Amino acid sequence: LSPSHSSWDAAYERELQTFQDIGDAGEIWFGEESMVRIIRWLEKHKVPLDSSVLDIGTGNGVLLVELAKSGYMNLTGIDYSPSAIQLSEKVREKEGMSNIKLKVEDFLAPSAELSGFDICIDKGTFDAVSLNPDNAAGKRQQYVGSLCRVLKPEGFFLITSCNWTKEELLNEFREGFDILEELPTPKFCFGGRIGNSVTALVFQRK
């Protein structure tokens, strides 16, 4: 277990405890607006409600709950942290969303049954993989390989990142993916220069 694995697990352990104590789902990585952005894109492109959707690194599962509330029926969330999956199971039960499937899975070594998805969504998992002190470049390659395995040809991949620019992400996913569009994200101003703190892109698998 790498140090990053155990610290994520500890973070979710705390959130799990908090949820049990006060019924609060805890931190939503990237905040509310990133979920709204994803759901709006799916609706705008009339992505069918029975499309199979995979949330990579689901964390507390809140995005899946929002997708279910928007009418999506075929939802799967994976996370390598058992505490995260326990937390998302509690969130799912509280919301009464029995059609959300949750599994402990390491996306860099996905099980055989994780395949054939129409849509994959990542908010921050690729970032976390990229920060792994142990062979980050190799891990990023593994990630792209896994994505090619689990996503159907012509399927959509929606990624939200706060570590990578659009150009860098285009380079990371150039094998096997075409960029469809960049989604608008909040701008921030630093020293008089305007930049994006968050990049959100939609790719289509070739």
Side-chain angles (χ1 to χ4, degrees):
L1 216 61
S2 72
S4 56
H5 263 82
S6 50
S7 57
W8 279 105
D9 225 31
Y12 285 120
E13 283 284 356
R14 284 194 301 278
E15 292 205 356
L16 194 54
Q17 198 50 57
T18 309
F19 184 84
Q20 283 161 337
D21 297 345
I22 60 172
D24 168 28
E27 184 65 56
I28 301 173
W29 308 111
F30 293 104
E32 202 77 24
E33 37 96 33
S34 71
M35 297 199 293
V36 171
R37 193 183 306 123
I38 289 164
I39 291 167
R40 277 211 189 115
W41 187 87
L42 296 172
E43 289 173 345
K44 184 177 123 193
H45 290 269
K46 303 194 167 38
V47 171
L49 293 176
D50 59 356
S51 302
S52 53
V53 179
L54 177 66
D55 187 17
I56 301 165
T58 196
N60 53 26
V62 172
L63 172 64
L64 292 172
V65 167
E66 292 305 315
L67 285 166
K69 286 178 180 171
S70 301
Y72 288 89
M73 297 171 275
N74 190 349
L75 302 169
T76 301
I78 59 166
D79 205 293
Y80 62 61
S81 160
S83 309
I85 293 298
Q86 275 182 293
L87 178 63
S88 42
E89 281 168 350
K90 290 198 159 36
V91 172
R92 172 183 70 181
E93 282 156 34
K94 182 186 169 196
E95 298 284 350
M97 300 291 183
S98 55
N99 54 355
I100 297 174
K101 295 188 277 298
L102 296 164
K103 298 178 187 160
V104 177
E105 285 259 6
D106 179 355
F107 189 66
L108 300 185
S111 62
E113 68 260 25
L114 209 66
S115 70
F117 287 93
D118 298 309
I119 292 160
C120 290
I121 300 174
D122 179 322
K123 347 177 277 322
T125 299
F126 185 71
D127 286 355
V129 165
S130 320
L131 293 172
N132 193 309
D134 180 32
N135 185 16
K139 297 255 191 324
R140 295 201 300 272
Q141 264 180 316
Q142 272 179 286
Y143 181 104
V144 176
S146 295
L147 189 60
C148 286
R149 282 218 297 286
V150 306
L151 186 61
K152 283 180 185 164
E154 302 194 350
F156 299 119
F157 173 54
L158 287 78
I159 180 168
T160 305
S161 166
C162 63
N163 290 21
W164 298 92
T165 64
K166 177 184 177 180
E167 288 64 37
E168 288 168 332
L169 288 170
L170 292 184
N171 186 45
E172 290 291 329
F173 291 95
R174 67 186 186 279
E175 299 288 323
F177 295 88
D178 290 317
I179 176 83
L180 278 187
E181 64 183 290
E182 179 172 15
L183 303 183
T185 60
K187 301 274 187 286
F188 70 98
C189 189
F190 184 76
R193 290 176 56 195
I194 293 180
N196 275 37
S197 51
V198 174
T199 304
L201 302 179
V202 182
F203 287 96
Q204 187 165 27
R205 195 177 149 212
K206 290 175 185 168

